[in-house]
Amino acid sequence: MALVDEHGVRAVRDWDVPERHAESVLPAIEAVLDEAGVRFDQVAVMGVDVGPGSFTGVRVALATVKGLAFAHRIPVVGVNSLEVLAVGAAAGDADWKKGPS
């Protein structure tokens, strides 16, 4: 998960909690916002992974983002994780082989 603006990546969180998606996603979002010094009312758009990926992880991510976007009136964009990996590989990003978090 990351917060990005016109200047690049402002904050990023990577975590691996295979069976605790719902418990960990909101604290991770809060940590990214805090690290970047951004409030929800400053977020212009939210992106969310729509797969491929683990069914539970994608489902929790979509439900969380949908709820936050509705509450804060923020538009949402679906992001395909394979396309993200392809863009990273094409850009020469050394971490592209790790895959999505």
Side-chain angles (χ1 to χ4, degrees):
M1 150 182 339
L3 191 137
V4 180
D5 66 12
E6 64 274 5
H7 304 292
V9 177
R10 299 261 312 265
V12 65
R13 276 289 179 276
D14 185 15
W15 77 103
D16 185 15
V17 285
E19 297 177 7
R20 303 181 82 118
H21 297 93
E23 291 178 31
S24 61
V25 69
L26 288 174
I29 291 170
E30 186 175 38
V32 166
L33 290 169
D34 287 346
E35 183 179 326
V38 174
R39 298 181 319 270
F40 258 113
D41 63 351
Q42 297 174 301
V43 174
V45 66
M46 295 173 69
V48 62
D49 186 356
V50 295
S54 82
F55 175 74
T56 301
V58 172
R59 185 179 56 152
V60 168
L62 287 168
T64 302
V65 168
K66 185 176 179 181
L68 291 170
F70 180 77
H72 296 279
R73 298 176 186 218
I74 300 169
V76 176
V77 175
V79 179
N80 179 294
S81 55
L82 293 178
E83 291 177 7
V84 171
L85 290 173
V87 169
D93 184 350
D95 289 333
W96 74 270
K97 292 180 184 177
K98 288 182 2 185
S101 300

